Amino acid sequence: MNAPPEQSKFQAYRARKKAAGLREVRMWVPDTRTPEFQAEARRQAALLNHSDDEKEAIALMEALASEVWEDGDWR
């Protein structure tokens, strides 16, 4: 029996990717839409707000961003 067209379409897609030297990886990540996740994110952000760690992290990100921007290699 032949596979449904939709299934064979994905099989062909995966075969092309595999032939290109890629492999499929699936992973589970936290659902950022849940109220629990959002509350925890707010809690952690409040802990960092105006802390020395936050200032250091922002300074590092700005320095790295300016290096990339000046080099023109931002893609």
Side-chain angles (χ1 to χ4, degrees), residues 23-59:
R23 71 180 177 100
E24 183 176 4
V25 176
R26 295 182 189 200
M27 70 177 89
W28 289 89
V29 296
D31 186 350
T32 58
R33 300 167 295 183
T34 65
E36 295 83 8
F37 182 94
Q38 293 171 6
E40 180 62 14
R42 279 192 292 279
R43 185 189 73 79
Q44 291 184 23
L47 290 172
L48 287 173
N49 197 19
H50 303 295
S51 71
D52 290 339
D53 288 339
E54 179 195 37
K55 292 173 188 167
E56 183 180 338
I58 290 173

